[in-house]
Amino acid sequence: KEIGQTPMILHGQTIGTHKAILKKPGMVPQEISWTIEDARPKSVRTSLFSNMGVLKINVTPANAQISIDGKPKGRSPFTESIEQGEHQLEIEAAGYEKHIQTILVEREKENTYNIVLNILPASINVNSQPQGADIFINGKLVGKAPVNISGLQPGKYQIRAEKQGFDISSRE
């Protein structure tokens, strides 16, 4: 059972060996023991060790939203001392796939993660006046207007509309 915080004086200890676990946020829990032999006071001293590590997260693109263990932590680039162990990392940025990863933070170390987010594919709707024009993207026929072209990666595309009896229209 929890009995208080150090430093503390324990009265009424019986003769024999006693144990306690010392816990403090940011420190490795430590078990201590002591032996009471008679009525004389006994002093027990120990040192706790940090269980914190530095977590650095660099994201491309910068300024992505970072959450650790479901709690928003800020934007990238990100640096913070965090308790050792496994943590759930989530990174979000508009126009990019959400990144979810289990990370390991080692105590008393700088733990750096460099993450490149995947760009979400885009789509484009192409209409023509009059409707029914053949639509080409980078020279490849993709359908008749109106048409929705999806799965496009970032970049420039040459869009051309052709219909018999009308001038060819082209846009980048």
Side-chain angles (χ1 to χ4, degrees):
K1 68 178 183 178
E2 188 174 315
I3 61 169
Q5 294 183 349
T6 61
M8 71 181 317
I9 298 172
L10 297 174
H11 297 284
Q13 294 278 294
T14 59
I15 292 179
T17 300
H18 301 270
K19 291 183 181 179
I21 297 176
L22 301 176
K23 293 181 181 179
K24 182 176 182 182
M27 302 297 209
V28 176
Q30 183 177 356
E31 184 176 294
I32 60 169
S33 64
W34 63 95
T35 302
I36 302 295
E37 298 166 348
D38 51 39
R40 289 180 290 167
K42 184 87 167 181
S43 178
V44 179
R45 294 181 185 271
T46 191
S47 296
L48 297 179
F49 299 99
S50 171
N51 72 346
M52 303 296 278
V54 174
L55 176 61
K56 286 188 168 188
I57 301 171
N58 301 308
V59 181
T60 302
N63 205 31
Q65 178 64 46
I66 294 178
S67 296
I68 298 174
D69 298 329
K71 297 175 187 157
K73 291 292 195 173
R75 298 202 167 268
S76 63
F78 173 84
T79 302
E80 185 174 298
S81 290
I82 189 167
E83 193 170 339
Q84 72 177 357
E86 287 188 352
H87 297 275
Q88 187 75 15
L89 172 66
E90 293 182 21
I91 302 173
E92 295 181 88
Y96 293 84
E97 290 179 13
K98 183 177 186 177
H99 180 87
I100 299 174
Q101 176 181 353
T102 299
I103 57 171
L104 178 64
V105 175
E106 294 182 66
R107 73 182 184 97
E108 298 183 352
K109 288 189 178 178
E110 186 174 284
N111 304 265
T112 302
Y113 289 87
N114 296 307
I115 308 221
V116 177
L117 298 181
N118 295 321
I119 297 172
L120 288 172
S123 64
I124 187 169
N125 291 312
V126 180
N127 292 304
S128 68
Q129 276 303 329
Q131 291 187 359
D134 290 330
I135 305 299
F136 297 82
I137 293 203
N138 293 342
K140 181 181 173 190
L141 179 64
V142 294
K144 291 194 179 288
V147 64
N148 181 304
I149 304 115
S150 60
L152 298 174
Q153 293 302 310
K156 290 185 179 183
Y157 292 88
Q158 189 67 36
I159 300 172
R160 187 176 78 235
E162 294 181 7
K163 185 166 178 136
Q164 189 171 1
F166 293 89
D167 289 338
I168 294 172
S169 179
S170 184
R171 302 278 190 281
E172 185 176 276

